[in-house]
């Protein structure tokens, strides 16, 4: 019974949706007993991993809930909650204006009635979809919000720390911090589309320190019907000299440079370090084969998004290459989502490691990425989606 096993007990938080607690003890000499108390029914998977990188032999327990929350429904519910809170604040402010506020109050009341009608219609549409019936078509002239969903993919996580800087900074930590900053900006933004303003929402493939296989990151983005996919990383190299940010798009052919090929090979090894279930290897291969059918249109749009971001990053920091590079990154293979991989800086460079740990630089970088996203949509209006709210 070693320290790592003892520490598992304290790692379970009270608000964990699945696990009530963990108990561990030395049952017999040479035998350790581990008990996981569950809050909900679970589908377990158990598999062994051979030694790789810093790890020796590992026994992995994956605990999957039998009823998985629909991430798209969660995003829509979050948007509805924000809308209701904003409308409530407007209504309260109007009441405080007194008798002279009647015209404005009527406008707000009308907006609330429209919003309630749209919500009821969409609830009916959702029920119709679940029952296999075609959804009702909204009457001409009625407008509903359409969420613009940006999938943010903080690289590595969990057992896979990613690159480690000379000062001990782990890639998985700084890219998650940057993703949280960018998420806050996205959730407060809108995209102009004709005469309407479409609200944006960020969806994180991981929002904490846990491992996500590469193909699952893509699956998650497709499940929420993301409009864009942005994977966030921080480079490392053999020497501390390389510096500057890079942006990559997918390549159906060869890589645009030997460095791009090396980077893709390195990032694509994440599954080996994080630990992919070999029992599901066949399914993963089939999924990857499907994702390999990325279209030329997706790559062209990805290059446009990458160029918009690269131009904004150049305003706040150095660039490693002045153009978007291309290589066969596994996380960029969603055939229907423009996808880029952002290497924010070289964490192996001591100066850039310090910048990545700086709140000021992370804020500047998040602003630049946000401006890049907005610049992309300004020239490439979002496509119609079947998930109006």
């Amino acid at each position: 019974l070693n320290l790592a096993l003892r520490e598992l007990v304290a790692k379970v938080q009270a608000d964990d949706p699945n696990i009530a607690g963990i108990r561990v003890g030395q049952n017999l000499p040479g035998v350790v007993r581990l008990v996981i108390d569950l809050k909900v029914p679970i589908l377990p998977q158990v598999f062994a991993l051979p030694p790789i990188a810093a790890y020796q032999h590992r026994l992995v327990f994956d605990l999957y809930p039998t009823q998985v929350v629909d991430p798209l429904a969660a995003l829509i519910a979050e948007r509805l909650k924000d809308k209701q809170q904003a409308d409530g604040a407007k209504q309260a402010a109007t009441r405080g204006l007194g008798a002279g506020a009647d015209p404005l109050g009527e406008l707000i009341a009308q907006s609330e009635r429209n919003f309630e009608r749209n919500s009821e219609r969409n609830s009916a549409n959702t029920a119709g979809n679940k029952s296999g019936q075609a959804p009702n078509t909204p009457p001409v002239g009625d407008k509903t919000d359409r969420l613009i969903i940006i999938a943010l993919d903080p690289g590595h996580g969990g057992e896979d720390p990613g690159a480690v800087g000379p000062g001990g900074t782990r890639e998985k930590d700084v890219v998650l911090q940057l993703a949280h900053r960018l998420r806050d900006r996205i959730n407060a933004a809108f995209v102009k589309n004709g005469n309407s303003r479409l609200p944006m929402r960020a969806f994180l493939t991981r929002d904490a320190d846990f491992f996500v296989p590469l193909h699952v990151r893509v699956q998650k983005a497709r499940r929420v019907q993301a409009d864009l996919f942005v994977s966030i990383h921080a480079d490392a190299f053999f020497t501390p000299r390389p510096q500057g940010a890079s942006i990559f798009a997918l390549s159906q052919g060869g890589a645009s440079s030997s460095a791009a090929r090396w980077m893709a090979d390195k990032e694509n090894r994440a599954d080996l370090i994080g630990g992919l279930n070999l029992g599901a290897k066949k399914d993963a291969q089939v999924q990857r084969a499907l994702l390999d059918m990325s279209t030329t249109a997706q790559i062209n749009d990805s290059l446009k998004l990458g160029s918009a971001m690269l131009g904004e990053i150049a305003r706040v920091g150095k660039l490693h290459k002045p153009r978007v590079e291309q290589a066969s990154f596994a996380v960029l293979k969603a055939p229907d989502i423009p996808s880029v991989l952002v290497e924010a800086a070289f964490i192996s460079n001591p100066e850039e490691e310090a910048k990545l740990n700086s709140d000021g630089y992370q804020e500047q970088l998040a602003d630049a990425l946000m401006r890049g996203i907005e610049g992309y949509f300004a020239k490439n209006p979002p496509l119609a989606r079947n998930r109006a709210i």
Side-chain angles (χ1 to χ4, degrees), residues 165-167 239-242 346-356:
T239 67
R241 287 174 296 177
F346 277 91
I347 201 170
S348 54
N349 183 313
E351 293 181 2
E352 298 212 335
E353 179 186 20
K355 289 170 67 175
L356 286 170

Side-chain angles (χ1 to χ4, degrees), residues 78-96 104-119 143 145 190 197 389:
E78 182 184 278
R79 166 61 185 161
L80 292 175
K81 182 179 179 181
D82 288 355
K83 181 72 168 64
Q84 290 167 343
Q85 289 176 344
D87 287 348
K90 289 180 181 177
Q91 191 175 24
T94 302
R95 284 196 299 266
L104 178 59
E106 178 54 34
L107 284 173
I108 292 175
Q110 180 65 40
S111 174
E112 288 174 342
R113 288 193 291 270
N114 290 340
F115 179 74
E116 289 170 357
R117 284 201 302 271
N118 289 334
S119 298
K143 290 184 178 180
D145 285 343
F190 291 81
R197 296 168 71 243
I389 62 170

